[in-house]
Amino acid sequence: MKQLLYLEVPTSNSQEVIYWLQGTWQPTDGSKKSTPSGVCLELPQVATSFEPIFPENKLSVFVWSLQRTTYLKVFRYGDRAFPQEQLIIKQLEQKIRQYFPQQYSQLPVIDLAEQSIFTALGPYYPQTVKFFQKMPRGEFHLQRVYWWEKKWREQVNQPSTPKQVIFARPESSNTSPSYDLIYLGGALGSIHAAVMARKGYRVLLVERLPFGKMNREWNISRGEIQSLIDLNLFTKTEIEDLIAREYLDGFNKFFDYNNPPHLKAKVLHTPKVLNIAIDAEKLLRLCGEKLLAAGGEIWDETEFVQAEITPDRVLINLVHLPESTQKQATGRLLVDAMGTASPIAWQLNGSRAFDSVCPTVGAVIASGFEPQVWDSNYGDVLNSHGDISRGRQLIWELFPGEGEDLTIYLFHYHQVHRDNPGSLLEMYEDFFAILPEYRRCDPDKLVWKKPTFGYIPGHFSVSDRDRRVAFDRLVMIGDAASLQSPLVFTGFGSLVRNLGRLTVLLDNALKHDLLSAQYLNQIRAYQSNVAVTWLFSKGMMVPTGKSLPPQRVNAILNTFFGLLADEPPLVADTFIKDKTDWLTFTRLALKAAQTNPILLWWIFEMTGYRDLGRWLLSYLVFTLDALKNWLLGRHFAHWLKLCQSWLEKKSPALWFRLLCFQYSLRS
């Protein structure tokens, strides 16, 4: 028996595919007989003196359903080729792709003035509505999901003509601004706002939602969270109080049933990656308290409208949502921490605002799993339980939280494309439908605590000048800056890991009034060893309009993670935490090519000449940075410290540039 074809049919209606095979499809040869899951092709043979009868000579075409999609395989029984075998296979694949084309979801237009969000979305997303109704404040959260997807689609659909929200005015105002720093976005923004307020700056934090509410959970490791202690934001006791759970080990495993033996991989254990679950809302509340205690202000339920930037200040226009009243504030510097919903990021970078995105959905589940389903001493860092599904490779994460809580995410790496922006609502319908496939459970028996969702962005940076993160008197941080790792660290991890750098550089820029774009653009979380890994995310996404072999992405992932599983634990830990050096990265890349020689061609099929060329440039930058670090890394920081007393006073601009250069050596 030999497999001749394996493909994914992008429809959740597997029965319709069976009916099509049994009725509409007419093979070029053979006698078609219906089977419970497809058809069987047989070719009656006449025995002659020259050729015996081979009754087992037939083709079996069958389908099955998984992950709300349909998969099809064709097997040949017997060792002899079926007559016109290749022609039949080619014709079947061509016809089935014509009849079942890839379709990308559209956001339904609804009017919440006439009906509830549940009534409006029920016909389109019945499972999503059903389970959001079981959650506390489910109607509010589902409205938030719809708002976020609508906002994201609007921005993706108009990348070349984004809405202008930042206006430059040449005339000075000749009035002192009320604040030194104005932060837009109360999640990641609240962390850094509290740090800067405690350093003595006048800080205003603006948040669209009620302050302290989160639709994401945060995981990190003890090594990264230490930076919050080092900056005197929290004490060790406070950090321990913020930790909801610390697990013993984290697993990384990708579905490999359809991979050849050399592309099957062991479970990769990463016990110190994302093993700390933070109580995000408690962290935000504590940041808010410290911000207020340091003299800062918080304006929540307030939405950013636009900003006017003059040579001596920034004026922001806001709307207080509960009362629909206009508000204004002035500051020396505006900090954009609004994430992928930020109109500022789109204005500054247009169609290159974000190159990729992970539409991410999930929930915190308080209880309801059977005891044998999951041990809360362990986490799933990255896991897949099937192949490509409707043009996406779905990936799960599971993190134990406080008590019996389990936070479960479903996401996929996605190309930002006008025809296919990526849907949170479609992902939620998948999440509720296929959760029992991932972890045995009855969703109706689970106690749903809160939803978790968002668009996690990525940007394929060739160098530290490849993307604008600043304008005069304006700088972006977190997801708005889109400079996080393509593997496991999102905006929170990137911000916390780079909090020291961000704080020192911003403090120096404010102290010396170096608030023009040429200086602020140097305050970023760029690392060349992170930039070079964006090829991983390209290898995890199916380009819009393309059909790949269903097992392709899992094969790529198993190639790399299988190598890491065979390495000493420290290698995997440093690689996934974005601390790998040039030698280790190059050795692993060459080893991957040796293990799977066709890997480069696979990635080329998914990236094309342009992105592969850009990656080669990023690798060249990584190589030059490695050489620079080797030559200067040990001595430059010591020399700069010796020069600080006179250099900072005599030439603040030069001091600032050299300080930025020093931080680049730590990448």
Side-chain angles (χ1 to χ4, degrees), residues 136-154:
R137 302 183 73 228
E139 184 172 11
F140 167 81
H141 290 304
L142 190 53
Q143 287 177 347
R144 178 70 175 162
V145 175
Y146 182 86
W147 175 88
W148 207 337
E149 180 168 338
K150 184 172 183 289
K151 187 85 170 178
W152 172 254
R153 285 177 177 270
E154 289 172 351

Side-chain angles (χ1 to χ4, degrees), residues 124 137 255 442 506:
Y124 306 97
R137 302 183 73 228
F255 186 68
D442 181 349
L506 205 55

Side-chain angles (χ1 to χ4, degrees), residues 106-112 115 120-121 124 146 150:
Q106 302 296 317
L107 184 67
V109 179
I110 61 176
D111 184 1
L112 296 183
Q115 55 190 335
L121 294 183
Y124 306 97
Y146 182 86
K150 184 172 183 289

